[in-house]
Amino acid sequence: MKVTKMAAAALVLAMGASLFAGGSKEKSSGPVSIDLWYGAAVTEAGPPPADWEVLTTLKEKFGIDLLLTALPSSGSDQDQKINAAAAANALPDLFLVERPTWLRLVDQGLVAEVDDMYAKMPNRKAHYNEDSKIFTTVDGKSYGLADPASLVRNEGVLIRKDWLDKLGLKVPVTLDDYMNVMKAFTFNDPDGNGKNDTWGYGAFIEIYSDAEGLGRRMEPIMGAFGMCGTWGMTKAKPGLKVLQPEYFDALTFVKKMCDEKVIDPNWLTYKKDDFRAAWKQGRFGIMREQNAAFAAKNNYAPFDKNFPNGEWIVIDPPKGPKGLQAAGNYSASFRILAVSQKAADAGKKDAIAKLLNWMSDEGPDGGYYTLGWGKEGVNFVKKDGVPTSAGVPDPAKAWDKAENVNLTQLRNMVFYNSGVEIKARYPAYITDVSKKEMSAGKVLLDMQSRPWENALNNTLLPPPNADVKRFLEQGVLEFLTGKRNLTKDNWNAWVAEFKKVGGEAWNNAGVDFAKKNNLLH
């Protein structure tokens, strides 16, 4: 009897090892099947071909049989498809999903924890940072793999270095430094034309849901007081920034810029195109601008022609009285890859980790370049380590030809806004007139390295109604234009009125939503 019990125990252990050895249960009868629902990079194009070399490599190298299904292009249709599968307990093993739908699936127990997977995917280390893990964390556990989506922090503070040099000024650091430089740029003829036609700072009103009030172009100034952006997204200080006492201090400094006449007086009427025409015409010497809008070849060409000796450089935003500084607020955007609980129960998590790790392997035997650009030497070649279609043996097979884009339909699963991707998107060039090298990619990396305020998830919060939005936007401008006298008492009275017209209800709704959906950090 003792021998029988030991044999039975050994059998149970063997069965358990088979069940939980990362898909080895399926390997006994063939490859591990992984059903992947992906978001196509080009929705109007078809899926990868049936003889796609990626499928063969995965099967031969890892024993993975990858089954591909493209999700609908519409977000609502994607949600409908996923929700229908969830209702039938038929979710795929691995799938792309929007956060609201994902959160419901987590609550229903249909999505697996993935904390144990991160260490098994060293090639995706650059994909998953603190922000991405916060994005998919519920009650202290990560339930999704959040990959970077669109570029963030792609704007920054630029200053005319040639004007600084001409006037013998140093790069400004503090708000006082900025004010002194703005005055010099306005009143000391930095372009040397003998005319009173330059200003220190240029902007326009560019309002988004994450940048209410004065908009994005004034965020470097507001950021010196911790007041850039619409919402505070920290657990310590959540809520609308306009209701926080520091907002008055920030607005007071902007009012000083207006009173001292160091900001282009047209900033309240400029549209985006007017603003961009103005800096190319040399009207002001400090601005916040987007990397490609500044440095891409066609965008920089007019400035290069007008001012061959002109030079803009990226600098840090100003430091405020408490040492705070931010070029703006940002909310990193992510694509969530979820592992179904059903796949985890079937022991597939290890196989999924192997799949994703190989996809992001940038070595010669990895999948990064293949999924991103196709087959090297056929669909792309490398120039200085950067993939390009220029110079492929048969131009008809270039990766960026419409008929070949199905080869890179899964590139969003491996792209993470790397240096290679940025250089491929923004190649360096020599300007036509000044003959200097420019690169929107280098500018981007510089801008991203500067101080920013992390407002992760702020774009998910509810918007104001039209009356509240109008009251806020008109109110702050009335204080700047002098229609309302900017004193502490007048500001407090306006805030009280703002709360009454719906500002307090909006604030409370946003904070409640953030807490309920685990958005604060």
Side-chain angles (χ1 to χ4, degrees):
M1 178 64 74
K2 185 175 182 180
V3 175
T4 302
K5 286 184 177 180
M6 291 179 63
L11 178 60
V12 169
L13 288 172
M15 290 176 65
S18 174
L19 180 59
F20 296 106
S24 60
K25 180 181 179 181
E26 295 199 17
K27 283 184 180 179
S28 62
S29 58
V32 179
S33 64
I34 296 178
D35 190 5
L36 167 64
W37 289 7
Y38 68 94
V42 182
T43 56
E44 63 270 25
D51 62 350
W52 193 29
E53 67 173 313
V54 168
L55 302 178
T56 303
T57 299
L58 288 171
K59 188 172 291 188
E60 293 179 350
K61 193 168 185 177
F62 299 106
I64 292 173
D65 186 10
L66 185 61
L67 309 175
L68 298 174
T69 300
L71 285 163
S73 58
S74 154
S76 60
D77 289 345
Q78 289 179 16
D79 291 343
Q80 184 176 0
K81 181 178 177 69
I82 291 170
N83 286 329
N89 195 26
L91 285 171
D93 302 316
L94 182 65
F95 57 102
L96 184 74
V97 60
E98 293 293 328
R99 195 177 193 275
T101 299
W102 163 84
L103 194 59
R104 288 193 295 273
L105 298 178
V106 172
D107 289 340
Q108 295 167 14
L110 297 176
V111 173
E113 299 174 25
V114 296
D115 288 297
D116 58 333
M117 294 179 64
Y118 290 113
K120 298 173 183 177
M121 300 181 293
N123 292 326
R124 293 178 78 86
K125 187 176 181 180
H127 288 233
Y128 308 128
N129 56 22
E130 182 180 354
D131 288 347
S132 70
K133 291 179 181 178
I134 288 173
F135 196 73
T136 58
T137 295
V138 177
D139 296 332
K141 297 177 181 179
S142 180
Y143 287 91
L145 304 167
D147 293 300
S150 58
L151 288 169
V152 294
R153 307 192 309 278
N154 62 340
E155 299 195 5
V157 180
L158 290 151
I159 193 168
R160 286 286 298 269
K161 183 178 181 299
D162 55 311
W163 286 9
L164 287 174
D165 293 343
K166 183 178 185 301
L167 299 177
L169 300 171
K170 295 180 179 180
V171 171
V173 177
T174 66
L175 276 173
D176 288 341
D177 295 339
Y178 264 71
M179 180 59 77
N180 291 334
V181 169
M182 287 188 285
K183 287 180 178 179
F185 283 2
T186 303
F187 302 112
N188 295 355
D189 193 22
D191 60 0
N193 68 356
K195 299 179 181 179
N196 185 26
D197 60 354
T198 58
W199 285 268
Y201 197 88
F204 69 99
I205 302 295
E206 186 183 28
I207 291 174
Y208 288 85
S209 64
D210 64 343
E212 276 287 358
L214 298 179
R216 290 180 175 174
R217 303 295 160 156
M218 296 303 295
E219 284 200 323
I221 306 301
M222 304 296 285
F225 299 87
M227 290 293 107
C228 60
T230 305
W231 294 95
M233 295 301 297
T234 63
K235 292 178 181 178
K237 208 171 184 179
L240 291 170
K241 294 286 187 73
V242 72
L243 298 181
Q244 298 179 12
E246 295 86 356
Y247 199 95
F248 171 79
D249 300 327
L251 202 62
T252 298
F253 189 88
V254 177
K255 181 68 164 61
K256 182 179 179 182
M257 291 170 61
C258 297
D259 293 345
E260 297 282 353
K261 302 186 187 303
V262 298
I263 185 170
D264 185 335
N266 295 326
W267 78 283
L268 294 177
T269 58
Y270 275 155
K271 303 300 182 186
K272 183 180 291 185
D273 290 345
D274 304 321
F275 164 79
R276 287 178 171 160
W279 71 255
K280 294 169 188 178
Q281 294 162 4
R283 283 182 62 89
F284 43 79
I286 304 175
M287 63 178 178
R288 171 175 150 165
E289 183 57 295
Q290 194 256 4
N291 72 302
F294 162 64
K297 187 172 185 178
N298 290 339
N299 295 329
Y300 188 77
F303 179 82
D304 186 54
K305 180 179 179 181
N306 293 335
F307 305 101
N309 296 319
E311 182 183 5
W312 292 91
I313 59 171
V314 181
I315 64 171
D316 282 341
K319 281 187 179 181
K322 296 181 180 179
L324 299 175
Q325 59 183 154
N329 83 95
Y330 76 97
S331 177
S333 57
F334 299 102
R335 303 181 185 93
I336 298 178
L337 279 173
V339 177
S340 67
Q341 187 61 49
K342 188 174 68 170
D345 292 342
K348 294 186 179 183
K349 285 172 70 176
D350 279 0
I352 291 171
K354 288 178 182 178
L355 166 68
L356 296 175
N357 191 57
W358 175 82
M359 282 182 164
S360 294
D361 186 345
E362 299 181 25
D365 298 323
Y368 174 75
Y369 288 98
T370 303
L371 271 69
W373 292 274
K375 187 176 180 63
E376 185 170 2
V378 177
N379 308 117
F380 75 94
V381 294
K382 289 180 182 177
K383 182 177 180 181
D384 298 326
V386 179
T388 176
S389 59
V392 297
D394 182 355
K397 294 182 179 180
W399 71 273
D400 50 2
K401 291 288 185 181
E403 56 270 27
N404 300 321
V405 295
N406 63 334
L407 296 173
T408 59
Q409 285 287 45
L410 272 65
R411 65 175 180 259
N412 288 336
M413 292 186 65
V414 298
F415 279 2
Y416 60 103
N417 302 319
S418 68
V420 166
E421 294 159 30
I422 290 169
K423 289 177 182 177
R425 183 184 301 184
Y426 303 119
Y429 65 93
I430 301 298
T431 59
D432 291 336
V433 181
S434 62
K435 303 301 180 184
K436 60 172 163 283
E437 182 178 276
M438 291 289 292
S439 167
K442 289 182 179 178
V443 171
L444 171 65
L445 295 175
D446 195 352
M447 290 175 168
Q448 290 179 326
S449 72
R450 305 291 172 164
W452 283 79
E453 180 182 325
N454 184 358
L456 183 65
N457 302 321
N458 65 348
T459 57
L460 302 177
L461 270 57
N465 65 46
D467 291 337
V468 173
K469 179 179 173 66
R470 182 168 52 252
F471 190 92
L472 169 59
E473 293 169 6
Q474 289 180 354
V476 293
L477 290 182
E478 286 173 354
F479 281 112
L480 294 183
T481 59
K483 188 172 182 179
R484 293 175 184 258
N485 188 21
L486 185 57
T487 65
K488 188 67 173 177
D489 287 343
N490 287 346
W491 176 253
N492 289 339
W494 179 88
V495 168
E497 190 177 357
F498 171 70
K499 289 181 178 180
K500 288 181 181 179
V501 301
E504 187 168 33
W506 177 31
N507 177 75
N508 293 341
V511 172
D512 289 345
F513 182 87
K515 290 180 177 178
K516 179 180 178 181
N517 291 279
N518 195 46
L519 302 180
L520 300 176
H521 47 89

